[in-house]
Amino acid sequence: MEQFLAIFATIVTASTPLLIAALGELVVERSGVLNLGVEGMMVMGAVAGFGVAFATGNPYLGVVASIIAGMLMSLLFGLLTLTLLSNQVATGLAITLLGLGLSALIGESLVGQPIARIPNFHGIDILIVASFALAGLTSWVLFKTRLGLVIRAVGDNHHSAHAMGFKVIAVRYLCVAFGGACAGLAGGYLSLAYTPQWVENMTAGRGWIALALVVFATWLPGRVIIGAYLFGAISILAYTVQTFAWGIPSQWLSSLPYLVTVAALVVISGNRQLMRANTPTCLGQSFVPDR
Amino acid sequence: MRLILEKRAERSWKMALASPLIAIALTLIFGGIVFALRGVEPLHGLYVFFIEPLTDEWAREKLIVKATPLVLIGAGLALCYTANIWNIGAEGQFVIGALAAGAVPVLFSGWQTPDVMLVMLILGAIGGALWALIPAALRVRYKANEILTSLMLVYVARLLFDWLVRGVMRDPLGMNFPKTVRFVGWQRLPTWGDIHLGALIALIAALGLAFMMARMLKGFELRTLGAAPRAGRFAGFSADKAVYFCFAVSGALAGLAGACDVMGVSKQLQTPYEPNYGFVAIIVAFLGRLNPVGVILAALLLALTFIGGEAAQVSLGIPDKIAKVFQGILLFFILACDTLILYRIRFESKK
């Protein structure tokens, strides 16, 4: 029993960063913007959070720093794609490459340093609770408030939204910044709670998995929770099975989350009805007002 | 004051050429600031990073060696991105190519005649192409996003490589080091100094692709499908076939690059093997204007950042991670400057 509770707690902590990052990206994509820089914003959040926690001794200040770092990276993305109308796919990749490089340089002196992790009660910490609140909040804002209606309108048809007098670019900046804050927080969770240390590339593709989760959830916050916990469970079970030494090569088990991501994308994307109902129509398109 | 983007009547080809130069200049300024923050005199730092490696014969050869895989991969990616097809998993295709080529010396260590070189290169290309065709097939058949699937397969490829090189492919007499046997005879590429035959292959491949894109129907087809998919369909071009074609070609080139790298540089497989050429080649493709000839120049510059990073670590005591920062910020500035190709920037005072 004790052991099962422990495994359950690790599944929850492994799922939380995926959940937070995917919720942020979901809002971004609902507004019609595809930010592929989640991995880069996340890893910057991880290094900034860890660095501040190490310097101040306070992990909560680290959390704040990780949110700010993620948001700054996302605003850089916004500047290029929303103001300078650059290609969103290429710019997202640039954010990821830049984030991975910059975090490695900044974190060079932090490798192997200890910090005080975020306190938890039987493995459950405040950010886990917050992640569920965040899921409820995004769902409520997107589907029950006027702001959510505007965000979805901008994402589904930016020309109509513009004609109705909504500020398309401003709404998108807001959503991109929110997505950056979430990605940063998710990264901070990794370095402050999940494994309280800094390692180069410590996000290990989780930002990309979060992106896949948004598709998997067909842009619905409730389903992001299911998806994030499914992936968290798979990655933890892969590690747990490893300890039983049933002769399954560790590399096979480690590649499981990535293979499952591919499989999940195939299953969901092949379902035409589900995709057509929820995919933001303007996803990935730059908005140029005609006047 | 308000910044306004005004659409140009047509693409400015002057800006298309000037944009990468402006981006490089901005990167140098940014680099100077980074050096200053690290307590290094900026001009001295930039000299050590970008100029000094070029003054040394040995480093010049190394530059070509590093540029070789970047040209091969970058030219293939340029093809994909022109057609608006997003293969970002070249790193995985590169690793599989190395694995496929390396399987030959592991299985037939005695086969050292010239034909083995050809077989290894071809196997590398086939391995990379097959690995790349997975995301292509998933996109065509199930509409699965090729960006995410091709990237996920990078991690899978690395783990597969690690498993095989630690396991069945390990050199039994290698004191348990995670390495294969050393390649011998024609299992290696002929070299001139450090430069290996791969450099010539890369040059031919890039020029061949440039000819195809500029002069052949296939090139026109890919450019049309990228710029105006509807027009392409009316012209009778198949978008699905283009996806298969682009992934197969770019995967084969990435696999070939992997084969050349292990046959010409390390001369054996060893894990971990994460040279990052596949990701840096994305920057090469954009800096090279998605043009295979431009890719050659861009690859030389990006190769310089690898070597400059090592130089900065040795003579300035700055971590070589700084190379990655320069690479990332360079792509960033290119994308920002490319706005000027289609738009004119005007400042308007608020009424």
Side-chain angles (χ1 to χ4, degrees), chain B residues 26-36 42 46 50 322 326 329:
Chain B
L26 288 172
T27 304
L28 291 178
I29 295 171
F30 175 87
I33 296 172
V34 173
F35 280 126
L46 290 175
F50 288 105
I322 197 165
F326 283 2
I329 203 79

Side-chain angles (χ1 to χ4, degrees), chain B residues 154-239:
Chain B
V154 173
Y155 295 97
V156 178
R158 281 176 175 171
L159 287 161
L160 181 67
F161 185 94
D162 190 66
W163 175 57
L164 288 173
V165 175
R166 278 181 203 281
V168 290
M169 290 173 79
R170 192 173 57 196
D171 179 8
L173 306 173
M175 322 262 287
N176 254 335
F177 283 114
K179 294 175 178 179
T180 64
V181 288
R182 285 190 71 79
F183 304 168
V184 280
W186 283 94
Q187 294 164 355
R188 301 175 171 194
L189 290 177
T191 52
W192 302 271
D194 277 345
I195 302 171
H196 55 76
L197 186 66
L200 193 64
I201 299 175
L203 200 62
I204 294 169
L207 294 176
L209 278 189
F211 180 78
M212 189 196 85
M213 287 309 279
R215 290 273 177 272
M216 285 165 68
L217 181 63
K218 195 79 196 169
F220 176 70
E221 176 186 330
L222 295 178
R223 277 184 285 133
T224 310
L225 282 170
R230 263 172 70 85
R233 275 205 300 280
F234 284 129
F237 299 144
S238 158

Side-chain angles (χ1 to χ4, degrees), chain A residues 36 39 76 80 83-87 89-91 93-95 97-98 101-102 104-105 108 200 204-205 208-209 211-212 249 251-252 254-255 258-259 261-262 265-266 269-270 288 291, chain B residues 3-5 30 34 38 86 88 138 142-145 147-149 151-153 155-156 159 162-163 166 279 282-283 286 318-319 321-322 324-325 328-329 331-332 335-336 339 343 345:
Chain A
L36 291 179
E39 181 87 0
L76 220 53
L80 253 72
T83 302
L84 295 176
L85 306 173
S86 67
N87 178 308
V89 173
T91 312
L93 289 174
I95 291 285
L97 291 172
L98 181 62
L102 211 50
L105 184 67
E108 178 84 5
E200 194 186 332
W208 293 103
I209 292 182
L211 273 160
Q251 294 92 341
W252 289 25
S254 303
S255 65
Y258 307 113
L259 289 173
T261 306
V262 173
L265 280 171
V266 166
S269 308
V288 191
R291 23 176 176 175
Chain B
L3 179 151
I4 289 192
L5 292 179
F30 175 87
V34 173
R38 285 263 163 176
W86 297 94
I88 60 169
L138 296 181
Y142 304 101
K143 297 198 176 355
N145 183 318
I147 302 172
L148 296 171
T149 50
L151 188 99
M152 287 296 135
L153 289 174
Y155 295 97
V156 178
L159 287 161
D162 190 66
W163 175 57
R166 278 181 203 281
F279 291 118
I282 297 173
I283 307 172
F286 280 104
I318 288 184
K321 315 278 191 301
I322 197 165
K324 285 186 172 181
V325 178
I329 203 79
L331 176 57
F332 203 78
L335 294 170
T339 305
Y343 299 90
I345 290 185

Side-chain angles (χ1 to χ4, degrees), chain B residues 85-346:
Chain B
I85 292 163
W86 297 94
N87 175 9
I88 60 169
E91 178 76 8
Q93 295 139 27
F94 176 88
V95 166
I96 296 296
L99 202 55
V104 175
V106 170
L107 292 173
F108 313 101
S109 54
W111 187 8
Q112 295 165 16
T113 44
D115 50 341
V116 74
M117 182 183 83
L118 210 60
V119 168
M120 284 169 74
L121 288 174
I122 291 171
L123 274 180
I126 292 176
L130 288 179
W131 198 253
L133 281 172
I134 301 172
L138 296 181
R139 163 159 163 181
V140 170
R141 289 189 60 103
Y142 304 101
K143 297 198 176 355
N145 183 318
E146 81 274 21
I147 302 172
L148 296 171
T149 50
S150 66
L151 188 99
M152 287 296 135
L153 289 174
V154 173
Y155 295 97
V156 178
R158 281 176 175 171
L159 287 161
L160 181 67
F161 185 94
D162 190 66
W163 175 57
L164 288 173
V165 175
R166 278 181 203 281
V168 290
M169 290 173 79
R170 192 173 57 196
D171 179 8
L173 306 173
M175 322 262 287
N176 254 335
F177 283 114
K179 294 175 178 179
T180 64
V181 288
R182 285 190 71 79
F183 304 168
V184 280
W186 283 94
Q187 294 164 355
R188 301 175 171 194
L189 290 177
T191 52
W192 302 271
D194 277 345
I195 302 171
H196 55 76
L197 186 66
L200 193 64
I201 299 175
L203 200 62
I204 294 169
L207 294 176
L209 278 189
F211 180 78
M212 189 196 85
M213 287 309 279
R215 290 273 177 272
M216 285 165 68
L217 181 63
K218 195 79 196 169
F220 176 70
E221 176 186 330
L222 295 178
R223 277 184 285 133
T224 310
L225 282 170
R230 263 172 70 85
R233 275 205 300 280
F234 284 129
F237 299 144
S238 158
D240 288 351
K241 277 187 194 152
V243 172
Y244 280 124
F245 180 80
C246 287
F247 265 94
V249 171
S250 59
L253 288 175
L256 192 58
C260 288
D261 196 54
V262 291
M263 291 164 69
V265 183
S266 57
K267 287 137 189 154
Q268 66 186 148
L269 305 184
Q270 48 186 321
T271 184
Y273 183 52
E274 299 177 4
N276 255 338
Y277 289 132
F279 291 118
V280 175
I282 297 173
I283 307 172
V284 168
F286 280 104
L287 183 65
R289 315 284 70 200
L290 302 186
N291 174 324
V293 177
V295 159
I296 299 174
L297 296 175
L300 287 169
L301 180 73
L302 266 303
L304 184 58
T305 62
F306 278 102
I307 298 166
E310 287 167 25
Q313 177 143 353
V314 174
S315 32
L316 300 174
I318 288 184
D320 62 353
K321 315 278 191 301
I322 197 165
K324 285 186 172 181
V325 178
F326 283 2
Q327 292 161 1
I329 203 79
L330 177 62
L331 176 57
F332 203 78
F333 282 133
I334 300 164
L335 294 170
C337 293
D338 276 358
T339 305
L340 297 172
I341 300 174
L342 292 175
Y343 299 90
R344 191 176 280 133
I345 290 185
R346 228 183 47 209

